[in-house]
Every structure is written in C-alpha cells, then in structure tokens.
Amino acid sequence: MGLDRTAVVTAALELLDEAGLDKLTMRKVAERLGVQLNTVYWHASSKPRLLELMADAMLEGCADAPLPEPWDERAQALAHRYRAALLARRDGARVVAGTYVAEEHTLRFADAMAGAFLGGGHSPAEAGWRTWSLVYFTLGLTQEEQAAQGIGGMEPLLRAATAERFPSLAAAVEHFGDFEHRFRHGVGLIVRGREASA
C-alpha cells in the first residue's frame, strides 16, 4: 500500500468529523488505514505532530486567489475564510488552538494576512500584531461557537443578567447578537480600528 502523509492526515480528519477530537487516537487512525501503528508514527511522530498536520491541511486554499484588492477587504475576506475552514471540521478550532504550525498552508495564510496589512500602510510590527489579533479572536470565538452547538445558546445568560444585579451587562447583553454578528463586528474593529464604530 502506497501510504503517505496525506493519506494519514486525511484519515485523521475523517475520524475527527465522525468522533470528535477527544476520541481521536493514533491507533484509530492506523485501524482506519488498515496498517500497523508504527506506520502512522512514521508519517506523524506523535499526536501533537499529527494535530499540526491536520491544522495545516484545514487551511488549504484559504490564501488562494481571488482576493479583494483593497487591503481592508482582503484582510476581512481572509478572516472569513479562516473561520469557515475551522467550522468546516468538527472541533476544528480546538485542533488548531495550541498548535504552532510552520507548514505550507498555514504560512501562506499568515503571509497573505500580514501582506494585507502591509498593503494598507501599516508598519511590519503593526501588521504582525493585527494578524495575531485576528487569528486569536477567530480561534476563540469559533471554539465557543462550536462548543455552544446544542447547549441552549444565550438563554442562561439572558436570564441571569438582571438589571438589578448587573445593570451594565443587562443594558448590553441584548445587543450581543449571534456568532456571525460578533465575528463581523470584531473583525471590523481589528482591521479598521476606531473607524469601525463610525
């Protein structure tokens, strides 16, 4: 069998979608492929390494053309693609969070995002910080979005945030919106800064 790294990562992603991250093991990947466990370890030396490869595979195509020409629209489009890639896989945000991937698809995405900010006249330092901010914001929000599926949404918070006990929260909570609204607003703030609230 001409097993390669791509086949191992593909099998792992299929298992992720079927069973979730907590039940994903190297042994189950080997069983799915019909090979010995050490064959999987040959292509991914550990589970953390396998997660890195999975995280990178999830971002395939995120930086591909076409992208909008204006720098701010390009940065926002990349952020939306990133979130869509995470949401496309069960526990996708959890897989990516905590990995430090230095692989092709991840690096191409980061390069495109930093390039968008540089194209907007930001300094290299500012481009780096805004890129990280968008990645961290998207990862955190998407983890919460995936975890919230099927647990009742905002209802417990709306009931608990009474004006008598938490007046500021009660005034704001009805405007929190759904995950899509939160994402769009947050991305706008990070990309355009104070202009987003104008």
Side-chain angles (χ1 to χ4, degrees):
M1 177 180 182
L3 187 70
D4 60 12
R5 177 180 285 180
T6 299
V8 170
V9 173
T10 299
L13 288 169
E14 290 171 353
L15 284 168
L16 176 73
D17 286 338
E18 292 171 11
L21 180 57
D22 294 331
K23 294 183 179 178
L24 176 68
T25 67
M26 301 290 276
R27 185 171 301 281
K28 287 183 178 178
V29 174
E31 290 172 356
R32 186 178 194 89
L33 291 167
V35 300
Q36 297 294 316
L37 184 58
N38 62 351
T39 303
V40 174
Y41 278 108
W42 176 261
H43 295 287
S45 57
S46 63
K47 186 173 178 182
R49 177 59 179 152
L50 178 61
L51 293 177
E52 288 180 353
L53 296 171
M54 292 166 65
D56 187 62
M58 288 165 52
L59 299 192
E60 183 176 359
C62 281
D64 288 355
L67 283 164
E69 186 60 34
W71 73 271
D72 54 341
E73 293 178 22
R74 195 176 344 141
Q76 290 181 76
L78 287 163
H80 281 271
R81 288 184 183 186
Y82 187 53
R83 177 174 175 244
L86 299 176
L87 288 173
R89 294 288 182 181
R90 181 173 176 177
D91 295 331
R94 283 183 61 206
V95 170
V96 175
T99 61
Y100 297 92
V101 183
E103 301 291 336
E104 180 70 17
H105 303 305
T106 303
L107 295 176
R108 287 190 67 232
F109 173 78
D111 186 68
M113 183 67 82
F117 288 118
L118 290 171
H122 295 86
S123 69
E126 185 67 16
W129 283 117
R130 290 197 186 209
T131 296
W132 277 121
S133 295
L134 268 180
V135 167
Y136 287 143
F137 168 71
T138 305
L139 268 178
L141 185 78
T142 309
Q143 281 188 83
E144 183 176 337
E145 183 173 2
Q146 290 182 314
Q149 292 171 359
I151 63 170
M154 293 263 300
E155 289 306 314
L157 177 60
L158 290 170
R159 286 194 304 271
T162 62
E164 294 75 23
R165 295 191 62 208
F166 309 106
S168 298
L169 182 58
V173 72
E174 65 181 274
H175 304 288
F176 281 5
D178 59 19
F179 285 105
E180 180 68 23
H181 289 106
R182 293 176 214 171
F183 179 72
R184 289 180 179 276
H185 182 71
V187 168
L189 287 175
I190 295 168
V191 171
R192 298 192 304 273
R194 292 175 183 162
E195 298 170 12
S197 62

